[in-house]
């Protein structure tokens, strides 16, 4: 039962990591420092609004690793649980 619970927790953590990664995509926006759309007296500067590309990629790789590892552990736990229920011991 612990394997089933642990695998489910890892899958949920992987999904949460994907949500976090997609909440902060790596992009540079050209906008004014005051937040308006048109800044006639101000030059546009690049404002970094998300994660760096490396951090974003590592977060997505970690999310995939958590989901795959959790799914494997969950499936193995379910198979073990099923075989214990079928054996007449």
């Amino acid at each position: 039962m612990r394997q089933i619970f642990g695998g489910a927790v890892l899958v949920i953590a992987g999904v949460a990591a994907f949500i976090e990664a997609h909440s902060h995509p790596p992009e540079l926006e050209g906008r004014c420092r005051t937040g308006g759309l048109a800044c006639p007296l101000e030059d546009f500067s690049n404002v970094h609004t998300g994660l760096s590309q490396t951090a974003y990629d590592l977060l997505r790789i970690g999310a995939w690793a958590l989901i795959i590892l959790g799914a494997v552990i969950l499936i193995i736990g379910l198979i073990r649980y099923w075989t214990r229920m079928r054996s007449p011991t």
Side-chain angles (χ1 to χ4, degrees):
M1 264 332 231
R2 284 184 280 166
Q3 276 186 324
I4 296 171
F5 178 71
V9 167
L10 287 176
V11 169
I12 292 169
V15 170
F18 267 123
I19 292 170
E20 187 63 27
H22 291 295
S23 297
H24 305 289
E27 60 185 32
L28 291 174
E29 289 185 10
R31 62 178 179 188
C32 344
R33 287 178 230 137
T34 57
L37 295 176
C39 306
L41 302 176
E42 203 176 308
D43 63 335
F44 286 93
S45 62
N46 286 332
V47 178
H48 192 66
T49 59
L51 295 171
S52 68
Q53 186 66 44
T54 305
Y56 179 75
D57 290 341
L58 286 174
L59 189 56
R60 291 190 66 214
I61 290 169
W64 274 116
L66 284 173
I67 288 175
I68 292 169
L69 183 65
V72 167
I73 291 172
L74 181 65
I75 290 169
I76 291 171
L78 287 172
I79 290 171
R80 284 186 179 175
Y81 179 74
W82 184 60
T83 55
R84 283 186 192 149
M85 290 294 125
R86 288 192 64 189
S87 64
T89 332

